[in-house]
């Protein structure tokens, strides 16, 4: 409600406009305001429709708010990054699935807490009520329940949609890729969980995007700790959301939120404050297992024992050096039930201190989500990780721009040029021969292009070889090969051309 | 209007219900009906919302109408097909782009004629009016105009959305992939156009899905022919739509539509009927250039000259054997301005006559679309082709099922098994070593799985090699390798394992 109202304000030229409007119509209570806002929205929609039918050229030429096109320069980088990510998923035996971009609205409802207001709904056009997917986890759980799948290891790379007011300068959008790996099935504790952490390590190492840490925590430990500190049961989730903000806000602010907004007593908040400042390795687990308050709390001990086991497995999987047990890690989503983790890039030490530049992967265990979709509430335990691929793209893009590295957007190997007029058909014949042999070949779509323009194009595009056709060469049954970077030209017999090209291109 | 009303009827238990309802409310005119329908829709939406909040488990567990999930078995086939298609695009020097899944509603309006009613709109949530993309061509034109790009050769593979009532049994859905290749730029006649035809040939040949023909025609020839036959100017597009149905309906039905629905005189329809029954190669072009009526029509002659040129280029590109000049080819979309083409699979001759089993690629020239988005109406001539990838997927799937070919959904090379209890940590260590070396490796997520279950899993999954850990082997520093198909087991020293696996897997 609050969300709609605040957005509706922006439709009027100045905020004061709404007040005047409401005054004029003598409206004062909230439901009436909501009703009037709805009327305004309807009028606005009608105006939009009229605009579109009367003057098709009046609209501003743009993509929808918070979205963007991906030009070839970006697509190349994205494809390379995704290839590396998929290689890791496949190395761990994952299968691919895909789901529709929209789901029945009911599938998404009650899964995202406060963030549900950010879901894009489709217009009711006389069919089902549909919404664009908000993440890949809920559709995955729906897929498992619907197909009665009790174990699978799958990855899914697709776009998701959040009607957020994103800070686009920080690389956040309303349409963005997610890149998820999940293991579903009833298995022994922490074995799949530790493999998810391993996968994060392998991906971040293979992308070579700088140093990072993977923070680990456990929902049971958080719950036990809240209980031990005296947080009322019904406030666990909201206090957890507050703790989640510690990666962006200092403790004093989070504490204020806990007391003023969430109604926690200051003494309780202070107790939480002491715990969430802790981070370490397995020695911290041991210390906490002896902690006066936590050792008496069954839930906390269960969480700590799980942490102990996962840290042992991290030793076996050689991820310990990247892993930190961090009690301030909470993760916002409601559906986590066990271990949670988040990978954070560290700033370049050469440029100053090692400050966090943001999360690039995160996930955890969610054992109760699939059951929400099953008519008999049958559970399928799951653990997974989502790679923050958009942030990784922008880190890599920034690096490439800084290094002034030029990225080729095509893979053309050979360009067929003509030195004189009226050779376009000869060019076409030669291209046809080379395509047949599997070479990546282009020529000009003009009948009589200038030779200089053709050569310039090859240099700009980074095409390695040019074949230059001329009348005298055609008569003599030869063709001129030019190496673009060195500009060295050689003549070769036409019937030896394919072999020569294969050699030069190292095929 | 008609569309909404007819759908709205379905909300009531029986069609007669609406009539009663309207009668009760004493409503008779169209705007009032529309208003009442809108109210009904709103009530229905509220009901849906209440359903969802009160009983989260009452909804049917399904994907949205006309959509489906892609399970791993399908994803593998899809990926292989797409890889082959992309290889052809890249061989011709294409770059990749991507655009958002939704566009401003205005971008799509006025581009699809009658089919505009099939566009999915997003709900007005207080922002812009948005619609899901209906194809990839209009977003491409918007991209060119917005970025002032005057030449590019790009491909785009993405899902598009049509609120059709699809015949799912025939492989048609509301969400489906398109796979487009387009050449934008002002070039010499038919050179890029002939390359698009070449690309269709290369793709269909590489996929090995049986024999096919590529039908060619020209919009100017169609227009000139309509004019020469006496079709009034304002009926060109609607008569063109009727001709477009000739691939599915016999001439007598199409003729009936022309006369009864489109108001054409029978004599005119008969004249069209004679032309659209013609198909052939370049000799047909020559014949028509001498045709009494067509030779006097400037537009028709222009179209025929263009056909002559493109058929000459098809000779140079070796596509002539697959190409047929077919005067009945019309293509539905409004935006085509020049050559049009469509590839049609022919049935298996062994199973009967060579009957068409449907279009698998289509496209043409659209020189005026980009200008619709440019404030100064600046045109960028374009020609392109869309591969009917969904139909191709289902043809290939059907073939694989018929051949009882089992498709692997993972790429796992090595499975690490244990022969006794309490070896899970040893398995994890070995997996970790092998992942580091780049092998694709899995092991059981259970601490103490049964050996038989592990071996069975490998056979089902088609994993070629199993490493079996046992206490005695661990003590002796060896590991047992089992070849899954032959079940032959050999012992190898642990420090020679990586080399042995590389040899066996042919790396």
């Amino acid at each position: 409600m609050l969300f709609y109202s605040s957005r509706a304000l922006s439709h009027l030229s100045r905020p004061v406009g709404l007040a005047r409007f409401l005054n004029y119509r003598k409206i004062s209570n909230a439901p009436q305001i909501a009703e009037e806002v709805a009327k305004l929205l309807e009028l606005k929609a009608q105006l939009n429709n009229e605009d579109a039918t009367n003057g098709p050229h009046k609209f501003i030429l743009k993509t929808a708010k918070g979205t963007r096109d991906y030009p070839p320069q970006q697509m190349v980088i994205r494809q390379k990054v995704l290839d590396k990510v998929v290689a890791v998923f496949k190395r761990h035996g994952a299968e691919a699935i895909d789901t529709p971009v929209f789901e029945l609205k009911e599938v998404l409802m009650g899964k995202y807490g406060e963030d549900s207001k950010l879901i894009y709904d489709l217009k009711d056009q006389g069919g089902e009520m549909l919404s664009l997917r908000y993440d890949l986890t809920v559709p995955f759980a729906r897929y498992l329940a619907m197909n009665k799948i009790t174990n699978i290891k799958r990855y899914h790379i697709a776009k998701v949609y959040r009607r957020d007011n994103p800070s686009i300068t920080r690389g956040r959008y309303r349409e963005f890729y997610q890149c998820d790996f999940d293991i579903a099935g009833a298995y022994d504790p922490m074995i799949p969980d530790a493999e998810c952490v391993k996968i994060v390590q392998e991906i971040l190492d293979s992308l070579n995007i700088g140093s990072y840490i993977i923070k680990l925590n456990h929902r049971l430990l958080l719950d036990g700790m809240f209980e031990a500190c005296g947080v009322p049961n019904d406030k666990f989730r909201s206090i957890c959301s507050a703790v989640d903000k510690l990666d962006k806000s200092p403790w004093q602010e989070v504490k204020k939120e806990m007391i003023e907004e969430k109604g926690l007593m200051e003494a309780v908040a202070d107790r939480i404050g002491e715990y969430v400042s802790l981070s370490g390795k397995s020695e911290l687990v041991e210390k906490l297992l002896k902690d006066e308050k936590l050792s008496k709390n069954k839930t906390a001990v269960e969480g700590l024992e799980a942490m102990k086991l996962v840290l042992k497995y991290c030793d076996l999987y050689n991820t310990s050096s990247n892993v930190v047990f961090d009690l301030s890690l909470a993760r916002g989503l409601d559906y986590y039930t066990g271990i949670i983790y988040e990978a954070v890039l560290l700033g370049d030490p050469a440029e100053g201190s090692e400050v966090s530049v943001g999360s690039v992967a995160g996930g955890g265990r969610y054992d109760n989500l699939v059951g929400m979709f099953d008519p008999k509430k049958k559970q399928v335990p799951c653990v997974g990780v989502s790679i923050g691929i958009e942030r990784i793209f922008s880190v890599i893009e920034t690096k490439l721009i800084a290094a002034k590295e030029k990225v080729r957007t095509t893979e053309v190997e050979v360009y067929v040029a003509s030195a004189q007029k009226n050779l376009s058909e000869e060019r076409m014949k030669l291209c046809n021969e080379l395509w047949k042999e599997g070479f990546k070949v282009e020529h000009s779509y003009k009948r009589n292009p200038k030779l200089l323009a053709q050569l310039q194009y090859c240099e700009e595009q980074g095409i390695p070889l040019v074949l230059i056709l001329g009348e005298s060469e055609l008569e003599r049954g030869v063709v001129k090969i030019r190496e673009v970077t060195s500009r060295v030209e050689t003549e070769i017999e036409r019937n030896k051309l394919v072999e020569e090209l294969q050699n030069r291109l190292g095929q």
Side-chain angles (χ1 to χ4, degrees), chain A:
Chain A
M1 187 54 239
L2 186 67
F3 186 71
Y4 283 93
S5 313
S6 68
R7 293 193 63 85
L9 279 167
S10 71
H11 303 142
L12 297 159
S13 52
R14 279 168 301 173
V16 74
L18 182 62
R20 265 190 211 150
F21 176 81
L22 297 177
N23 193 37
Y24 167 72
R25 311 260 309 218
K26 295 196 177 102
I27 295 160
S28 55
N29 62 6
Q32 264 184 295
I33 293 177
E35 203 177 296
E36 296 298 321
V37 163
K39 280 182 195 159
L40 279 174
L41 284 177
E42 208 176 299
L43 286 170
K44 186 181 165 245
Q46 281 172 17
L47 271 174
N48 277 349
N49 281 338
E50 280 164 26
D51 276 358
T53 23
N54 296 344
H57 285 288
K58 277 179 197 160
F59 72 93
I60 305 162
L61 194 56
K62 64 186 281 291
T63 58
K65 186 183 172 190
T67 69
R68 62 193 153 159
D69 297 315
Y70 300 106
Q73 297 76 17
Q74 280 195 7
M75 287 297 280
V76 172
I77 300 167
R78 281 172 177 265
Q79 201 51 57
K80 281 183 186 161
V81 171
L82 289 180
D83 287 348
K84 284 185 182 174
V85 173
V86 169
V88 175
F89 292 160
K90 286 188 175 171
R91 198 185 300 145
H92 289 261
E95 307 175 290
I97 71 158
D98 195 15
T99 64
V101 81
F102 44 69
E103 294 278 345
L104 296 183
K105 188 175 166 62
E106 294 101 307
V107 167
L108 306 191
M109 286 180 75
K111 310 298 184 305
Y112 303 108
E114 288 174 16
D115 288 344
S116 294
K117 64 179 185 290
L118 304 182
I119 293 172
Y120 276 97
D121 292 331
L122 269 74
K123 194 171 161 183
D124 183 355
Q125 291 171 297
E128 298 160 326
M129 304 293 288
L130 306 173
S131 301
L132 297 186
R133 63 182 162 213
Y134 184 84
D135 66 6
L136 303 177
T137 310
V138 169
F140 175 55
R142 192 266 307 145
Y143 171 81
L144 295 183
M146 191 173 130
N147 297 288
K148 304 196 186 305
I149 295 167
T150 53
N151 55 69
I152 189 173
K153 181 158 59 182
R154 80 90 180 79
Y155 69 92
H156 188 185
I157 298 173
K159 287 174 175 176
V160 301
Y161 299 87
R162 299 183 183 181
R163 231 162 53 78
D164 215 334
N165 278 316
S167 136
I168 287 172
T169 47
R170 288 179 52 218
R172 290 182 59 205
Y173 286 85
R174 288 183 161 195
E175 177 189 57
F176 57 95
Y177 273 99
Q178 281 205 338
C179 204
D180 281 22
F181 170 94
D182 292 81
I183 302 171
Y187 299 118
D188 281 308
M190 294 298 150
I191 306 183
D193 314 55
E195 189 163 334
C196 288
V197 175
K198 177 70 186 168
I199 279 171
V200 173
Q201 184 198 45
E202 284 187 25
I203 287 172
L204 296 180
D205 285 351
S206 78
L207 291 172
N208 198 21
I209 49 168
S211 57
Y212 61 91
I213 50 164
I214 307 171
K215 297 179 186 173
L216 256 60
N217 202 2
H218 200 288
R219 272 284 166 98
L220 288 182
L221 173 59
L222 279 169
D223 286 352
M225 175 188 78
F226 292 148
E227 202 176 5
C229 291
V231 178
N233 250 359
D234 62 341
K235 289 207 164 86
F236 279 14
R237 283 285 84 84
S238 73
I239 295 303
C240 196
S241 295
V243 171
D244 190 40
K245 291 172 188 160
L246 277 173
D247 56 341
K248 283 165 199 124
S249 313
W251 166 248
Q252 283 309 322
E253 264 175 51
V254 171
K255 181 181 163 184
K256 207 175 146 192
E257 182 183 326
M258 286 178 176
I259 297 167
E260 292 178 12
E261 286 176 42
K262 312 275 158 92
L264 214 61
M265 287 195 305
E266 185 167 1
V268 175
D270 282 336
R271 269 173 242 147
I272 296 172
E274 274 175 44
Y275 285 116
V276 296
S277 68
L278 301 175
S279 71
K281 305 261 177 178
S282 45
E283 84 293 337
L284 178 59
V285 179
E286 296 302 335
K287 196 181 130 197
L288 292 175
L289 277 169
K290 289 173 202 137
D291 180 88
E292 209 195 316
K293 278 194 288 286
L294 297 184
S295 61
K296 288 175 199 152
N297 184 291
K298 206 181 146 231
T299 317
V301 171
E302 207 180 318
L304 284 167
E305 291 294 348
M307 280 306 304
K308 194 170 158 181
L309 186 59
V310 79
L311 290 177
K312 185 168 100 181
Y313 289 162
C314 286
D315 269 344
L316 296 175
Y317 278 165
N318 268 112
T319 50
S320 294
S321 56
N322 295 108
V323 157
V324 176
F325 168 36
D326 186 327
L327 274 88
S328 74
L329 179 70
R331 294 200 52 83
L333 292 164
D334 277 3
Y335 50 63
Y336 290 119
T337 56
I339 191 176
I340 48 177
Y341 32 80
E342 194 164 291
V344 175
L345 283 194
L346 303 170
D348 188 343
E351 288 169 18
S353 62
E354 291 220 346
V355 284
S356 155
V357 295
S359 157
V360 287
R365 177 163 284 281
Y366 50 102
D367 285 350
N368 300 334
L369 189 58
V370 178
M372 289 174 79
F373 293 109
D374 189 88
K376 292 172 186 161
K377 310 251 193 300
K378 193 172 176 286
Q379 297 295 359
V380 178
C382 295
V383 63
V385 61
S386 186
I387 306 298
I389 204 76
E390 297 289 346
R391 197 162 280 173
I392 291 173
F393 288 144
S394 55
V395 169
I396 289 175
E397 249 188 327
T398 311
K399 272 194 177 182
L400 286 172
I401 292 167
K404 287 179 186 161
E405 221 172 285
K406 216 189 157 188
V407 183
R408 282 195 71 188
T409 55
T410 77
E411 298 176 8
V412 176
E413 299 161 325
V414 181
Y415 190 88
V416 177
S418 47
Q420 285 123 9
K421 284 198 171 181
N422 301 322
L423 291 174
S424 62
E425 295 185 12
E426 290 297 333
R427 290 200 319 258
M428 288 168 88
K429 273 190 227 166
L430 184 52
C431 284
N432 191 52
E433 276 176 52
L434 298 176
W435 285 326
K436 202 178 166 190
E437 297 293 333
F439 293 107
K440 295 169 186 156
V441 185
E442 269 190 324
H443 74 119
S444 171
Y445 294 130
K446 293 189 175 165
R447 283 182 65 85
N448 296 309
K450 292 202 175 96
L451 182 59
L452 195 64
Q454 296 171 79
L455 297 177
Q456 223 156 11
Y457 175 84
C458 295
E459 292 194 4
E460 282 161 14
Q461 294 287 311
I463 301 171
L465 298 174
V466 193
L467 303 179
I468 305 174
L469 297 183
E471 274 162 23
S472 98
E473 287 86 356
L474 282 168
E475 271 165 30
R476 288 183 289 125
V478 297
V479 59
K480 199 188 273 175
I481 305 190
R482 179 183 164 111
E483 209 179 74
V484 174
T485 45
S486 68
R487 300 186 180 181
V488 173
E489 296 183 350
T490 351
E491 266 186 14
I492 188 97
E493 282 174 51
R494 183 77 174 243
N495 56 16
K496 287 182 182 155
L497 179 61
V498 168
E499 203 186 331
E500 175 72 17
L501 290 176
Q502 278 163 347
N503 288 339
R504 295 232 194 174
L505 295 164
Q507 287 179 338

